[in-house]
Amino acid sequence: MKVLIVPKGPNPYQELLYSELRRMQPNDTFSYLKTSRKRFAFYPIIFLIKRFQGYQILHIHWFVFSINSNWRMVKYVSYLYTVTCIFMPKLLGYRIVWTVHEVIPYNACTSNDVSVAKILSRISDAKIVHSKSTISQMRVMGLSTRNTILIPHGNYKNAYSDNLSASESRKRLKIKSHEMVILFFGLIRPYKGVDQLLDSFGNLKAKFPDLHLIIAGKSRDEKMSLQIQQVAKNGNVIFVNDYIEDTEVGKFFKAADVVCLPFKTTTTSGSALLALTFGRALVAPKVGSLVDLPSSVGYFYDPADSTALEKNIEKAIKNRQEVRIMSRNAKRYANSLSWSSIAEKTLQLYSSVLKPHVPRRYRDEND
């Protein structure tokens, strides 16, 4: 079996999966399609070459066939090229597997990302989703949910350094041991609701002077960066506006009591799984894959309630013992998401799509 993976993202998710697959199947090949500006125009040719080299499966994780531009004509050309790069492998005889990390990209890639997603959903031999809610999102957007299988997102155990204790982490961040710490971690984008978190924190800080907020992640929005910096001037806010090195990730989670992810929308949240892996309770809305998380690992609220975020953060502040219990539950739940089980299910899926006599239809979780 030879599987071509596109693209290789910065998230450790892929390598945790494929390193386990390589361990299980040492004679099979799982390799990434090298993506770069220099190679951009040659993807169809590369697909042809790789097919002659014996690659049978193309596993798409994210759209990478587009040109980053706000010009309408460029986005239209990106649409045509992306559709070409989806159909070409199909015509060459690849079996196509799509992991639906995002139903459509959060940032527009082409002139019609919904159309691209619809086409990909229809020509894929199999689609992997991490939660039942993704299937519902796909249906709302008009995507095909045939040949869809639910395979959970695994934990991030051993992906990041976990050597520091909570006390040492706080010492490095100059936070006292008795203070309550809320963490937001990850790239800062409009849909992630950081603006709402800042408003809630501002209101709660007046009632709880020992409340601290850490925002760790690169902001791509200058207006949002300025807003965070303005709040930080009033104290008790640590803002690290940068990509966090792997060796530094654990420090932020170990220093936190709870991880707050006030997303306005999401499909799969790696940040949530990362928090659970480090044994940290969540404060988050019931959206996307967060809906499928057990209630015992955090405070989950109705996103339609504009006051719910603040109320649930306050609930966490007032119930420190309950937060500690949730944190232990979070660790146990994350440990249950083993990569050996996930890799085994993925391998079974790969084997199934390569068997032409087997009907390539998987159970739709909403059937």
Side-chain angles (χ1 to χ4, degrees), residues 48-292:
L48 178 61
I49 294 170
K50 292 292 184 181
R51 188 74 180 103
F52 277 118
Q53 292 175 349
Y55 282 86
Q56 305 149 289
I57 296 173
L58 177 67
H59 192 156
I60 298 174
H61 287 267
W62 293 281
F63 295 176
V64 292
F65 308 119
S66 59
I67 303 167
N68 186 17
S69 173
N70 292 324
W71 290 7
R72 184 179 299 179
M73 181 56 69
V74 174
K75 284 201 175 292
Y76 180 67
V77 172
S78 287
Y79 170 76
L80 296 177
Y81 186 65
T82 299
V83 171
T84 299
C85 288
I86 290 172
F87 271 114
M88 173 68 80
K90 191 72 174 178
L91 295 173
L92 291 172
Y94 285 91
R95 301 300 188 196
I96 297 178
V97 176
W98 177 26
T99 293
V100 191
H101 297 282
E102 305 168 343
V103 177
I104 58 171
Y106 296 117
N107 297 315
C109 294
T110 73
S111 60
N112 195 337
D113 289 347
V114 174
S115 174
V116 172
K118 286 179 179 179
I119 292 169
L120 182 56
S121 72
R122 282 163 173 73
I123 69 170
S124 293
D125 296 274
K127 296 177 285 290
I128 297 171
V129 296
H130 296 312
S131 75
K132 295 177 182 179
S133 65
T134 304
I135 297 173
S136 299
Q137 290 180 32
M138 291 168 69
R139 284 178 166 163
V140 168
M141 298 300 295
L143 276 65
S144 169
T145 57
R146 291 182 65 255
N147 303 338
T148 299
I149 184 170
L150 193 156
I151 301 178
H153 190 304
N155 61 46
Y156 287 99
K157 193 174 181 180
N158 301 322
Y160 299 101
S161 174
D162 194 15
N163 298 326
L164 288 178
S165 65
S167 58
E168 180 61 28
S169 297
R170 289 193 171 208
K171 185 177 179 181
R172 294 190 181 190
L173 292 168
K174 299 180 181 179
I175 298 172
K176 295 177 181 177
S177 60
H178 69 278
E179 294 173 325
M180 181 76 176
V181 180
I182 301 165
L183 170 66
F184 173 89
F185 186 91
L187 287 176
I188 300 168
R189 293 175 175 172
Y191 75 89
K192 293 191 176 183
V194 175
D195 52 341
Q196 297 173 352
L197 176 57
L198 292 172
D199 290 341
S200 297
F201 175 78
N203 295 335
L204 290 168
K205 190 188 165 213
K207 296 164 64 174
F208 304 99
D210 289 334
L211 183 63
H212 280 256
L213 173 63
I214 301 173
I215 298 177
K218 183 70 174 177
S219 174
R220 296 179 175 176
D221 186 327
E222 187 176 345
K223 184 179 178 181
M224 177 59 65
S225 299
L226 292 172
Q227 185 179 349
I228 299 170
Q229 290 164 3
Q230 188 62 41
V231 175
K233 287 180 181 179
N234 297 323
N236 290 24
V237 177
I238 296 173
F239 179 33
V240 184
N241 187 10
D242 203 350
Y243 294 99
I244 309 302
E245 296 292 335
D246 288 358
T247 54
E248 294 290 300
V249 170
K251 175 179 68 177
F252 295 104
F253 283 94
K254 285 297 187 70
D257 292 289
V258 296
V259 175
C260 186
L261 302 172
F263 299 152
K264 298 172 184 177
T265 182
T266 189
T267 301
T268 300
S269 174
S271 298
L273 268 297
L274 186 54
L276 300 180
T277 301
F278 277 103
R280 291 298 178 264
L282 295 171
V283 175
K286 296 175 182 177
V287 295
S289 61
L290 299 174
V291 172
D292 293 342

